[in-house]
Amino acid sequence: MLNEKLLNALNRQMNHEFFAAHAYMAMASYCDYHSYEGFANFYIQQAKEERFHGQKIYDYINDRGEQAVFSQVDAPKVEFNSILETFEDGLKQEQDVTHRFYDLSEIAHEHKDYATISFLNWFLDEQVEEESMFETHIDYLKRIGDDSNALYLYEKELAARKFEVEA
Ligand SMILES: [Fe+2]
Ligand SMILES: [Fe+2]
């Protein structure tokens, strides 16, 4: 049993993780269309990670004896002016998600739901990683600037990225 307000907030976040996956797939598609396959791969892996987050919340809701409820997923932004812009948007998205988890944690605290607080802590740690990763990519891309050789090498590195669920 979960408090109703907390359950609704968890359901909202589960759906939001799938929206995040959608948004990253739209970025992947932009990259692929412009033949930046390494960056496209980065976003495809990122989308997998977001779906994993959604699944994690889904499992938790069910483990607590409740029903995970799916709602409409908003259309993501599909047009970008540059690769850098996709990373800047990605960072904004992650910052927004971090705040959503803060709000969720606050509701869990309100209801003294210690199991959910513990569950949410994993996401708070994860968000630190996510924001830091996007910040690093933005710094690299700005440093690379118009150097197409450096961009090529950087992209090769991202082409090798593979999302794997930790044991
Ligand atoms: Fe996520
Ligand atoms: Fe994320």
Side-chain angles (χ1 to χ4, degrees):
M1 266 281 279
L2 275 166
N3 164 273
E4 202 187 331
K5 186 176 167 196
L6 188 53
L7 172 61
N8 290 340
L10 282 166
N11 266 320
R12 232 185 346 266
Q13 188 57 35
M14 176 190 72
N15 282 284
H16 193 75
E17 295 293 336
F18 289 109
F19 165 76
H22 224 47
Y24 286 133
M25 285 309 296
M27 292 178 194
S29 180
Y30 165 82
C31 296
D32 252 327
Y33 181 66
H34 293 280
S35 303
Y36 288 110
E37 276 149 30
F39 291 113
N41 176 64
F42 169 85
Y43 284 117
I44 288 169
Q45 302 309 313
Q46 192 64 25
K48 280 187 192 165
E49 191 167 338
E50 300 304 346
R51 283 193 289 269
F52 168 69
H53 294 165
Q55 175 82 44
K56 213 173 159 76
I57 301 172
Y58 170 94
D59 288 336
Y60 182 73
I61 292 171
N62 283 289
D63 284 349
R64 292 294 301 268
E66 305 286 355
Q67 185 174 356
V69 178
F70 287 83
S71 57
Q72 188 170 354
V73 178
D74 289 339
K77 174 174 166 179
V78 296
E79 288 299 337
F80 305 91
N81 293 308
S82 64
I83 296 294
L84 178 61
E85 187 180 308
T86 65
F87 280 90
E88 286 169 339
D89 284 359
L91 176 60
K92 273 186 226 140
Q93 172 161 295
E94 293 300 338
Q95 287 166 336
D96 171 62
V97 166
T98 300
H99 285 287
R100 286 168 186 264
F101 276 109
Y102 286 170
D103 291 345
L104 253 172
S105 293
E106 224 164 275
I107 300 170
H109 275 281
E110 245 173 60
H111 297 283
K112 296 190 166 46
D113 188 330
Y114 297 108
T116 303
I117 291 167
S118 167
F119 170 71
L120 292 173
N121 282 339
W122 183 89
F123 284 94
L124 295 183
D125 293 342
E126 174 73 12
Q127 283 311 116
V128 174
E129 297 284 317
E130 293 268 76
E131 284 190 29
S132 150
M133 178 186 67
F134 273 97
E135 279 165 1
T136 304
H137 286 310
I138 288 168
D139 284 346
Y140 280 9
L141 283 169
K142 283 183 176 165
R143 203 177 307 154
I144 286 169
D146 295 332
D147 184 342
S148 57
N149 287 332
L151 187 71
Y152 176 77
L153 290 174
Y154 188 49
E155 214 198 329
K156 270 229 159 356
E157 213 178 290
L158 292 185
R161 181 178 190 243
K162 226 174 149 18
F163 170 67
E164 270 156 36
V165 176
E166 72 272 33

